[in-house]
Structure formats: C-alpha cells, structure tokens
Amino acid sequence: MPFAAPRLMPKSPTLFALIVLIFAATTAVHAQNSPSPLDPTRNLSATPLPAHTALPEDYIWTGGDITALGADHNKFPWSRSELRVAPHFFRTHFHLAALPKDAVLYVAGPREAHVFLNGHRLADFYSNVDAPIGFHVFHASVATALHLGDNILAIEAVRGRGVVSATTSLATQQLAYGEVLAAKIVPARFGEIVPALVISDDHWRSIVGTPNSNWTGAAFDDSNWKPVQSLGPIESNVDFFQWSADAGMYGWPGYLGQSSTLRTLPLRPIAVTHIFSGAAKFFNLSALTTPNPSAPFSVTNSSSQQSTDADAPSLLLDFGREISGRLVVESASPTDATLSIAYGESEVEAMATGLTAGQQGGNYLGTNLLDVPANGVARGPKSGFRYVRMRFLRGASIAAFKSIHAEAIYYPVTNAGSFESSDPLLNRIWETGAYTAHLCMQDGVWDAVKRDRGRWAGDLDIEGRVIATAFGDHALMQQTLAALVPPPGEFVNGIPSYSALWITALASLYQHSGDKLFLATQHDALMQILATMDSSLDTNGLFDNTKHRWLFVDWSPGLYAYTPEARIGTQFQYIRGYRAAATLLAGLGDTAGASRYSAQADKALAAIHQFRDPNGATYGATWQLSALAVLTDTTPSPAIWTDVLAHVKQDAPTDQVVSPYFNAYVLDAMSATKHRREALDWIRSYWGGMLAEGATSFWEAYDPRWPKQDFHAHLEADGKTGYYVSLAHGWSSGPTAWLMEQVLGIEPTAGGFDEVSIRPDLAGLQWARGAEPTPRGPIRVSIEVHTIRVTLPPETIATLSLPFTGAIFQNGKPVRTIPAESGTRAILTLREPGSYTFSVKEGSNL
C-alpha cells in the first residue's frame, strides 16, 4: 500500500525536547476539553431492555439462485456491482376484509425495483450503485390500489449493489451481496408502526428470467414458480447486523437492527457549528444542546423554491466524543420532512461532500436522505461517528423538531477494572483504550464501529485482553470466537496468521475466565484450525505458502501480501498459536494433543532460525519481526533490543511504519526484554500523540509524522487513505491491558486466576494503583516507592514479585522471601484471601 511521505522532524535533541513539551501541553488541553467520563455509559446502573418487538417480515430471495450458496460464488465479488444483475420476479397473494384509509408500501434490498399491485404499476425505485450504502428503503402510498378480497403484490427487483463482508456467515454474505428483498404494506400513514397487511415471508414465489407478460395480475398462475428462500425475520439473526450489511435498513419503520443484549442511551450534541440558514431561518438552536428546552428547535423556510442539498439550510452537530449509534430525529410538525445527513468521525469527514467513500472526497457512509414522518421519529443508519452534518431539504414552512439527538448503542458492562497513576496522560490513555474496546463490543467483538463492523481474529488478540482486564466480560468474546470458526480446510478470516491468533485469543480468554465448559465446546474447532495450519507447513515445519495465500502481519511495507517478511511473521504467529494450543489442550486433559503441539511449536521455531541475519541474532531490522522473535524464541538475543527495538521512534523520515495494532506486541516485547520504562515512554509518545490531535478513541492507523492539517484525510490503513480509515479501532486499545499487566503486574498463570503472577513495576512513576476483575472478585494492587498493597480474592494463589531488596515487612512483620532477577526482586507466595501491605526500609528498586 502507498504510504504518505512522513513529515521531517528535527534531529536536535534540545529542539525535540521542546516539541515534546509542547506536545504534552497540547494533550493536556485536549484532555481538559474531552468529556468526563469519556464513556457516557460508565456510571450507568443496569438498564432494562428497550421496549421493542422484533419485526416479523423476512429477508427473502429467489430459491436456488443465491450467490453465497453457489460453488462458484468467488467469481462474483461484492465490488463487481455489474455482475449478477438479472431481474428477479416475486409474487404474493393477500386478502383484505376492509380497505384502510391510508396504506404505505415499504421495499428494501434491491438497487432497482418495479412494484405492481393488482396488475397496476405502482412505483419504480432506483438507487445509485456508486453510493456507499448497499441499498436503501423505498416507500410509496398504495391505499388507492388496494382491493377488497384478494390482492396480488408483484415486484421486479435487481439485487442491491453489495458491500464488503469478509465472513464465513452465509447470512451476512447474502445480505451484504444485496440478494435480499424485504417488503410490507402497512395500513397507516408513512412512519407509523402498526401490524402489516402483508409481509415478505416464505409464502412468496419467485423466478429469474422473463415471465409471461401478465405476471403482475390476479389471473396469472404462479404455481410453477419456486417458493422463495427465506433468511428469517429481518431482526432475527445477529449476522444480519455485521459489516454494515444492514446500514440501508435505517428507513424501515420500527427497525432497530440490534440484538436484545444491547442497550441504547440518548445523547445531546455539545455544540452546533457550521450554521448556514440561507433563505431560511433557524429558531431556538440552543434547544439542540439544552435539556428540557422551553421551545423546540425549528426551521422556517421563506423560499418558494425547493432546496438542493448544496444550498439547503444546514448545520453540524458535535457530540463531543466518538460514539457507536445513530442519529434520531423527532418531529413536532404535522407535515413529513426530508433531511440529508452525513456522519463523520472527524469534522472534516462529516463536512466532506464526495460520493465515493474511502478517499479524501467522501465520508464513509456517504450523504443519505432521512425522511421524517409528521409528528414521528426517524433514525439514521448505525455507525461510528462524532459529528453529523444535517441539511433541511423539504418539509413544512415552519418545521419544528421535538429533539435531534444521537442514540448510542452499547453493550452493558461492569467497569470492574481500573488504573490510575501519577501520570495523568497514562491515565487518559488507559481510559481511552478501555472506551475504544467498549465501543467495539456490539453484536460481537468488532474491529470497529464504522469500518468494518466485523469480527477479526487479529483484533481479538488485542481487544480480548483489554475487555478482560477492564470489564471482566467473557460472554461476548466467547460468542465472537465461536462465530469465527471457518469451514474445514479454511483459515480464520481467510488469513493464515489469524488462525494462530484465534488460538492465542482463546487461550487469553481461558486464562482470564477459567470457563472450561466453553473451552471444551471449542475443542473440535481448535483441532480443525490446527489441522489447517499443519497442512500449510512443509516437512521441516516451515510455513511455505505454496497455495499463495494472502498474508498479514501489519499494515507496514513488506509485512502483508506475498512477501518474505510476511511469511516469516506468519511463521512466528504460528509458533505462538501452537504453544497456546498445547496449553489449552493440556487444560482439557488432551495430553496427546498437548504433547503434539508443543513439539510442533519447537519444530516451527527450529525451522525459522534459518531466517536469522548473518550475526545469528536478529531477524532483519523491522520492529514487527523483532517483537515476534522476542515473544516466541525461548532465548532471544540481546541484540534484538540493542540493534532494533531500542530505536523505536517516529521522528525522522527513515523511521519505520507500525500500526497501533502491532505496537501492542512491540510493547510486550519491550517489557519481555525488561525495558518497561522505554515502553511507557513509547506509549506516551505514540498513543499520547493521538490524544494530542484530539482523539477520544484510538485510531486504526497513526504516525506522528503524517500531516496534521485535515489529518483524517492523510491516515493510511487497509490499503487506502482518507476518511475510510477508522478513528475507533479496537486493535489500537493495547496499552490499557499492558498497563494492567506490566505496571500493576497482574497476569493470570492458570485458568480463571486459580494462580496469578503479580509483578508491580512503577517504571519511573511515583505511584500507581488499580484493580483487575477475576471470576472470584477483583485483585487490587497499589504501588508506592517503598510500599505495595495487594488485595486477593478467595481461592487464588499469587506469586508476588516485589521490587525490593533488604528487610521486607508484610503487614508490619518481617517476611521471608526468595531473591530473583539477579537479586533486584524478592519472591513470595500468597495463598489466603485478604489485604496485604509490603514495605521496605532500604534498597527499593522501584
């Protein structure tokens, strides 16, 4: 992928130090201006389920002609919107005993639809296949076309244009490819939610090809048409909510598109900017940001001409932080209104006007129409955003709005984990990482809430640690890992290294949860994934990639696609996966499997040694391969630190590119080589850099050398540049777990914290304290220069490594310890629950 030329940074240490001070001051200003708490759901008590009944209408399509189910489905990628565009024809019968005063037809799924009711052409619908959203909801009034008795609804449809979905779920694939039709007729005015007269379901019939000319009428015999294939009701499957596949369903009356696990929270904007009234006038703008306003916000349009999107009255809402959710508009007018809305994770993304998503010209979901029913409620598409650009196109001469707010969608968690230290910047980084991971806890643990809104094993390897340490939640990780299991012979997410990372994520989950029952349910999946990995090795245990699989280590030059470095990185991840598998299998009592994969890990490690540099110590100069070497080699060379990792920085054009995702492994390697202070400095510089640039969640990609003006347009990830790049990506949350593991020093060493290692390390801080949730209760650690306090829950054995030498006291009494780490630390074992205070009078090494 192309990478932007990094901005030249000064080489003078004095000048660079000055820049760091300015940088820190900027970060402090942004932190002061950020909302507190950052996570708006943090202090919420348990909330009830939203009052919502799942909608009964089905997604349907022509049976026997579904791309996702075809053996040749790979010939028809989602990005080729010109393929598979033959019209499909659908019919259904329904009976009316009385005629309603009002009736509205809703159709969703196709890019193009021609609707006939009782033989009469009722409406023609079209959507632009260049628009980012795959399909939209169309609606039309149909009351005058209905008959007493039997009615025939007939639809000619061309599939939706399709959106990306890297998943093995056939339901998601079909929806994302646009091969679905949802339809219903509601006996009410537009936007009203009442039981339908007819809905799409498995009673419909369909064909592909040209039917007889009278196919739309009551006299036509459709008994030879095949019954449709139904995917089930449109809200019945969480796989419908993945990958923005259902983004276009926002206009469907009553549609929420979320599982019953999730909750919602209304949020007011904190500011309204970019106000343009044009020929209109805005009244009571403060009502948008004020609770319980005395008068509603309204728009008065004095122009007799209909506004275009470019010259319509407009404004920009700022919600103060990244959120996962949607816009909600509540009308206080007796007339329907039409708005256009555009989301943005950054202000510049929301204000962008280009049609195509992914580059600087357009925001990710594009600009979309929002039809607001009279005195009713309309919701925008679900996504991740901070800003919403609104333009008021059509409506009453005086259009009033009861409320315009965001509806945050969140997974309820207990904020059982905590971290606080003498460094406010690190505290903010910990909180931001936790919030980033929480945002991504939706209907599955997703990579991000804007893009991709999907399950990725590599992301889980980082996010899972954060979720466990910050929230102690394990159910959503279990659901996500189970959903990621591929068919036999395939790699997780189609990427070899991600199969290994599925295993390491499972191992981390088990260490934190201790849920052996769930682990047992994944035994067969684990063995299947291991078998696929095994099949990609040569006789020496080396990943040979003879099938030319696309590889991924990091979004950095040479570390993805078909490069030697990507192959080496995949080998390293395999070693990590094999070792984790051996541990998991041992925990399940599968001693033969554990022995086999322990040996497989050793064989793979021996095979990779051939790629060492001539000095026999390092694996090239990349930070990524060097970090993996430290994390996999049982005796990594000190040269990996001195020659490579000691030089991790990004202040010169020649410095390397690394993503926030892989930086988490770099931090792990730094601590593994006993360089925690340097790791803390890198956290402050790198993740603190995002905060200094205004981040309220951590970004998919970052490099402090990238241009700062219109910063979002210059971010680079996933082979693209611009607003396509996510500003809330779970794989970037790594420091939150690292601070718990390496400063507080809490790491489980047996499933469910039966045993735990506690190795506190201030690494230059004056003090630190926090808590990590466990199945038995929290483990609390408080560290000061000469005092450490630890609280253990029941049934937990802790190996405590104190950074003290000299006379050590436990709860005021001398205690015997074992020297460790060349005499710089003292080891003892705690076997009883309770609170312990350790102090030393001399020889502190903190």
Side-chain angles (χ1 to χ4, degrees):
M1 59 179 280
F3 284 84
R7 188 171 59 174
L8 183 63
M9 296 294 289
K11 295 184 178 180
S12 163
T14 303
L15 184 55
F16 182 66
L18 178 61
I19 288 176
V20 170
L21 289 174
I22 297 172
F23 184 79
T26 305
T27 304
V29 170
H30 279 297
Q32 291 172 359
N33 294 334
S34 297
S36 182
L38 182 59
D39 188 338
T41 71
R42 183 168 182 82
N43 295 325
L44 292 182
S45 56
T47 57
L49 288 169
H52 177 68
T53 301
L55 299 172
E57 47 268 27
D58 291 0
Y59 285 126
I60 61 174
W61 198 245
T62 308
D65 196 73
I66 296 166
T67 301
L69 297 176
D72 60 348
H73 68 275
N74 289 327
K75 294 180 180 179
F76 306 105
W78 70 271
S79 56
R80 296 287 303 278
S81 60
E82 77 280 9
L83 301 178
R84 300 278 288 173
V85 292
H88 289 234
F89 298 86
F90 299 85
R91 279 173 55 95
T92 193
H93 304 244
F94 63 100
H95 185 86
L96 293 182
L99 292 178
K101 176 183 177 182
D102 299 293
V104 178
L105 164 77
Y106 298 91
V107 174
R111 74 180 73 175
E112 176 183 337
H114 308 283
V115 182
F116 302 83
L117 189 55
N118 297 318
H120 300 287
R121 196 177 192 109
L122 187 69
D124 299 288
F125 303 122
Y126 304 90
S127 62
N128 189 339
V129 294
D130 289 329
I133 287 182
F135 58 79
H136 288 85
V137 174
F138 305 119
H139 62 86
S141 177
V142 300
T144 58
L146 292 170
H147 293 171
L148 284 173
D150 289 334
N151 289 260
I152 303 295
L153 178 60
I155 299 175
E156 177 185 350
V158 178
R159 74 169 179 92
R161 70 103 172 167
V163 295
V164 64
S165 66
T167 175
T168 57
S169 165
L170 295 177
T172 307
Q173 288 180 35
Q174 184 174 340
L175 185 62
Y177 197 67
E179 290 185 336
V180 291
L181 171 70
K184 68 178 176 181
I185 296 177
V186 175
R189 293 183 300 174
F190 166 66
E192 294 182 352
I193 303 171
V194 299
L197 302 176
V198 60
I199 61 174
S200 49
D201 59 20
D202 58 8
H203 295 102
W204 287 47
R205 291 180 174 271
S206 176
I207 64 164
V208 183
T210 304
N212 294 335
S213 59
N214 64 342
W215 71 277
T216 64
F220 180 77
D221 181 6
D222 59 17
S223 60
N224 290 328
W225 288 23
K226 292 181 179 179
V228 296
Q229 180 249 15
S230 171
L231 284 173
I234 61 176
E235 294 183 302
S236 64
N237 187 342
V238 294
D239 284 350
F240 295 156
F241 312 145
Q242 312 292 318
W243 285 89
S244 291
D246 71 330
M249 289 296 290
Y250 68 88
W252 197 266
Y255 184 80
L256 291 185
Q258 64 187 68
S259 71
S260 60
T261 306
L262 302 181
R263 302 292 186 270
T264 59
L265 175 70
L267 295 173
R268 292 187 305 275
I270 65 166
V272 182
T273 62
H274 293 274
I275 300 168
F276 170 73
S277 59
K281 291 183 180 180
F282 290 135
F283 292 94
N284 302 315
L285 275 167
S286 62
L288 296 172
T289 56
T290 304
N292 304 313
S294 57
F297 162 71
S298 61
V299 182
T300 301
N301 192 349
S302 60
S303 173
S304 60
Q305 297 181 350
Q306 184 173 343
S307 297
T308 67
D309 194 63
D311 63 11
S314 62
L315 49 81
L316 183 73
L317 305 179
D318 177 7
F319 292 94
R321 55 166 74 82
E322 175 90 17
I323 59 176
S324 172
R326 55 196 153 211
L327 185 73
V328 178
V329 179
E330 298 184 43
S331 170
S333 295
T335 304
D336 297 345
T338 300
L339 288 59
S340 75
I341 60 173
Y343 293 163
E345 292 186 298
S346 63
E347 182 176 333
V348 289
E349 182 188 5
M351 296 301 294
T353 57
L355 179 65
T356 303
Q359 303 301 324
Q360 291 91 329
N363 49 71
Y364 184 64
L365 285 185
T367 298
N368 296 285
L369 294 180
L370 184 66
D371 292 324
V372 184
N375 293 307
V377 178
R379 286 177 166 83
K382 300 172 295 179
S383 190
F385 61 92
R386 171 176 171 171
Y387 300 90
V388 180
R389 186 192 74 221
M390 302 186 64
R391 290 175 174 161
F392 301 86
L393 302 179
R394 295 179 288 279
S397 58
I398 301 177
F401 298 92
K402 184 185 301 183
S403 174
I404 299 177
H405 62 271
E407 185 174 69
I409 302 172
Y410 70 97
Y411 179 88
V413 294
T414 301
N415 295 277
S418 63
F419 176 86
E420 188 179 11
S421 74
S422 55
D423 186 338
L425 176 57
L426 290 180
N427 301 343
R428 190 65 176 181
I429 289 170
W430 186 92
E431 181 185 18
T432 305
Y435 181 50
T436 303
H438 190 202
L439 282 171
C440 298
M441 298 173 72
Q442 297 288 322
D443 280 314
V445 179
W446 289 347
D447 61 334
V449 289
K450 180 180 81 173
R451 200 217 88 248
D452 295 308
R453 297 175 70 86
R455 311 172 181 113
W456 288 100
D459 303 59
L460 292 187
D461 197 42
I462 304 299
E463 288 174 289
R465 290 162 58 186
V466 176
I467 290 167
T469 56
F471 310 120
D473 183 88
H474 309 301
L476 199 60
M477 276 291 292
Q478 291 177 348
Q479 176 197 116
T480 306
L481 285 166
L484 275 170
V485 176
E490 295 186 17
F491 292 106
V492 176
N493 294 125
I495 303 172
S497 63
Y498 274 30
S499 288
L501 294 178
W502 184 92
I503 300 171
T504 57
L506 178 64
S508 176
L509 173 65
Y510 176 67
Q511 289 290 89
H512 286 89
S513 71
D515 190 341
K516 190 169 287 189
L517 290 177
F518 172 75
L519 182 60
T521 68
Q522 299 304 298
H523 178 270
D524 291 348
L526 173 61
M527 299 306 294
Q528 173 188 306
I529 289 169
L530 286 166
T532 303
M533 291 168 59
D534 293 346
S535 69
S536 64
L537 301 180
D538 65 17
T539 56
N540 295 317
L542 188 67
F543 176 73
D544 55 17
N545 205 25
T546 56
K547 295 186 178 179
H548 205 58
R549 300 280 189 172
W550 191 87
L551 308 179
F552 180 77
V553 178
D554 192 21
W555 288 121
S556 183
L559 288 167
Y560 60 94
Y562 311 102
T563 67
E565 292 83 1
R567 183 181 164 202
I568 294 170
T570 299
Q571 180 83 5
F572 276 130
Q573 297 290 36
Y574 268 36
I575 298 167
R576 293 183 64 229
Y578 283 139
R579 285 187 180 148
T583 301
L584 291 172
L585 293 169
L588 287 171
D590 184 350
T591 55
S595 176
R596 174 183 174 184
Y597 283 104
S598 178
Q600 187 76 300
D602 292 341
K603 184 177 181 180
L605 179 61
I608 204 173
H609 285 165
Q610 65 181 281
F611 296 107
R612 284 175 173 169
D613 293 332
N615 62 14
T618 55
Y619 293 84
T622 69
W623 303 337
Q624 290 89 341
L625 296 187
S626 297
L628 287 174
V630 169
L631 299 176
T632 56
D633 204 331
T634 51
T635 56
S637 168
I640 294 178
W641 170 257
T642 57
D643 294 353
V644 183
L645 295 180
H647 306 286
V648 170
K649 63 183 183 66
Q650 289 179 320
D651 59 16
T654 56
D655 289 336
Q656 298 180 34
V657 173
V658 63
S659 70
Y661 157 67
F662 214 92
N663 254 324
Y665 299 114
V666 172
L667 295 178
D668 290 342
M670 287 180 167
S671 55
T673 54
K674 301 181 180 180
H675 292 281
R676 292 175 179 82
R677 290 195 184 209
E678 291 85 347
L680 277 183
D681 288 340
W682 184 231
I683 290 174
R684 294 181 181 105
S685 174
Y686 189 84
W687 281 270
M690 283 185 259
L691 295 184
E693 295 189 39
T696 60
S697 52
F698 287 133
W699 306 341
E700 179 182 13
Y702 179 66
D703 190 311
R705 298 165 295 181
W706 289 343
K708 307 307 175 191
Q709 186 174 359
D710 196 1
F711 78 96
H712 198 174
H714 296 94
L715 300 186
E716 304 171 6
D718 204 5
K720 294 183 176 64
T721 301
Y723 309 137
Y724 172 92
V725 178
S726 160
L727 298 191
H729 227 73
W731 78 357
S732 303
S733 59
T736 296
W738 190 92
L739 290 166
M740 305 288 276
E741 296 163 355
Q742 302 300 330
V743 175
L744 299 184
I746 305 170
E747 293 191 84
T749 54
F753 288 88
D754 282 354
E755 299 177 16
V756 61
S757 169
I758 304 177
R759 186 193 180 281
D761 192 337
L762 284 176
L765 296 169
Q766 296 175 358
W767 57 268
R769 58 176 172 256
E772 174 154 347
T774 82
R776 299 169 175 81
I779 295 175
R780 303 185 186 279
V781 175
S782 175
I783 323 168
E784 298 173 6
V785 174
H786 297 293
T787 305
I788 291 177
R789 296 177 177 84
V790 175
T791 300
L792 284 184
E795 301 178 30
T796 299
I797 299 174
T799 299
L800 180 62
S801 173
L802 297 169
F804 299 152
T805 58
I808 298 173
F809 296 82
Q810 175 181 313
N811 295 338
K813 298 179 180 180
V815 63
R816 296 183 63 181
T817 61
I818 300 172
E821 299 187 30
S822 302
T824 61
R825 284 187 165 259
I827 303 291
L828 72 159
T829 301
L830 304 176
R831 299 182 180 276
E832 299 297 328
S835 297
Y836 301 84
T837 299
F838 299 92
S839 58
V840 65
K841 293 185 177 179
E842 59 178 294
S844 169
N845 292 298
L846 282 166

